Amino acid sequence: ALRARRRRLRLRAGPDPRHPALDAWDEIRDLTLDHRRPWPAASPRYAAADLILGLGQESVADDIQALALAAERAQFAGPDATVAPQDWTPVIVGCASLLTDRASLSGRLWARLLPASLFR
């Protein structure tokens, strides 16, 4: 329930158009951690490359890379940078689906019942 609430709050639109990309990127990180996969300590661009490699699925590569670049721009571009608002929900859902499909039964249970992202 806590994890679902955090996801809803992240995906809610806010006044600053930079926040959706950063919040979506945080959600991708949490999903990855919940499925007990390592998260690289790198900028979003390099973390995305590792994530795409780990998922082994080229169909989401462009979407994850686009989200990573948007998160990087939002994080490092400064307050005067303009960011077009975008709904990143489909990217999150696609990534969550791939992580779940590749997880074992016990991995799915851990991700659902005791998400690691709640303890970081």
Side-chain angles (χ1 to χ4, degrees):
L2 290 173
R3 185 68 180 86
R5 184 173 187 282
R6 182 185 288 177
R7 179 177 296 135
R8 273 193 311 276
L9 289 173
R10 279 184 178 152
L11 297 180
R12 192 174 55 184
D16 189 345
R18 292 179 299 177
H19 285 259
L22 292 171
D23 290 341
W25 188 248
D26 288 344
E27 185 62 26
I28 295 287
R29 182 193 60 231
D30 283 358
L31 284 167
T32 304
L33 294 173
D34 290 346
H35 284 87
R36 307 304 196 260
R37 289 178 171 256
W39 185 260
S43 71
R45 182 182 319 201
Y46 295 107
D50 282 355
L51 177 62
I52 292 165
L53 186 65
L55 290 174
Q57 189 73 16
E58 289 297 316
S59 63
V60 296
D62 291 340
D63 292 337
I64 291 173
Q65 198 68 13
L67 173 57
L69 292 175
E72 208 167 74
R73 272 193 303 274
Q75 189 174 14
F76 299 116
D80 296 334
T82 57
V83 177
Q86 185 169 345
D87 180 18
W88 296 104
T89 305
V91 179
I92 293 168
V93 170
C95 190
S97 176
L98 283 172
L99 286 165
T100 301
D101 290 348
R102 284 168 172 58
S104 65
L105 177 60
S106 64
R108 282 184 237 143
L109 287 172
W110 278 109
R112 185 78 168 157
L113 300 175
L114 196 60
S117 62
L118 291 178
F119 304 102
R120 64 172 182 89

